[in-house]
Amino acid sequence: MIEIRNIVKRYDHSSINILEEITCSFPDKGFFVIVGETGCGKSTFLKSLAGMINVEGSILLDGKKPADVRAADIGFVFQDFKLVKNETVIQSVMDGPIAAGFNENDSHLMAENALSTCGVNSLEEKMCSALSFGQMQRVGIARAIAKKPRYLFADEPTGNLDEENAKSIMRLLYEISSDALVIIVTHQLKIAQSYADAVFSMSNGKLVEMDLKKDKESIDGKENVSRENESVNFKKEKKTNQWKWIFRKRMTEMKRHWIVALMLFLLSIGTGIFLQMVDDSIRSYEGIESENYTEDTYTISSNTMLQIDKKELLELFSDSECSLLDPCNLVVSQKTGIKVNENN
């Protein structure tokens, strides 16, 4: 049960009230609709019930503040879906139960059941970025109900949908309301009133119940399913799983940045090693050339006091160590480095 007492919400640094001393209550189960003009405060009221917005006054969900039960007992369907584009459908739906503290295996099973309830179980492995508007809406609802919340709030759940799909979503929410309290805000009064237990109008910050005839089956026979209290040990496990979920989400957000940084680092290291190898090769080649051509040589010519016969010299160096250099007509010893004029 939700009890609301004199809640007020003002614009920052303004005397204008978005919500004006609203006092009302909602039962444990049922399907309730809030309608009103754009900007009248419908979404603000809904988010305050979910503990997403702070307001003056008192909001109690079974005697507890919304922020204290939001992770486990509140499901929220956003107008813009809030699906993670680089996740598959099953991964996105599992985020709800994991955030509530369920382990990964249980979360996977709960996500499958929620997708089946919403009629989109065939989309489990499809990327969220590849879904149509109608599919995203159903996946968003599946994520909100996967953890089996006691309270389900939906902000414009039929927005951007054609009439047929809008009716389908309303029927789905109506079925869910047999086990939970469902409150939605919408512009489509004609469709909503056929399913709602009650319709409220939001105007000038006030919430007023409308007296409308409803063309729908009686909901008096809805089951009253009680929820067992969780044990202390299970609460500790849930808290641990919540930290794991937060860590996993942060790692997912940072993964691409770390990969890019690592690739740039490895590229710079590889480039430096390659350039060093090239430089070492050039230096090694230059050293060999310098060693071959800078040895001290001795020339014996007709101007010297020593005369050596060319024939004898050739016989002396007749092995492979000697070679004849035609351009300068010199016999060169590779061992001694002696250069001898051919004419002597």
Side-chain angles (χ1 to χ4, degrees), residues 309-325:
D309 182 78
K310 175 184 175 182
K311 184 177 180 180
E312 294 179 357
L313 187 61
L314 289 176
E315 290 177 355
L316 179 63
F317 298 104
S318 60
D319 56 11
S320 58
E321 297 175 349
C322 299
S323 60
L324 181 62
L325 303 181

Side-chain angles (χ1 to χ4, degrees), residues 4 18 27 33 57 106 131-132 171 186 228 257 264 274 286:
I4 303 166
I18 307 174
V33 176
D106 289 342
L131 300 177
S132 66
R171 284 195 296 270
T186 183
E228 297 181 357
H257 301 291
L264 291 175
F274 174 76
E286 290 178 346

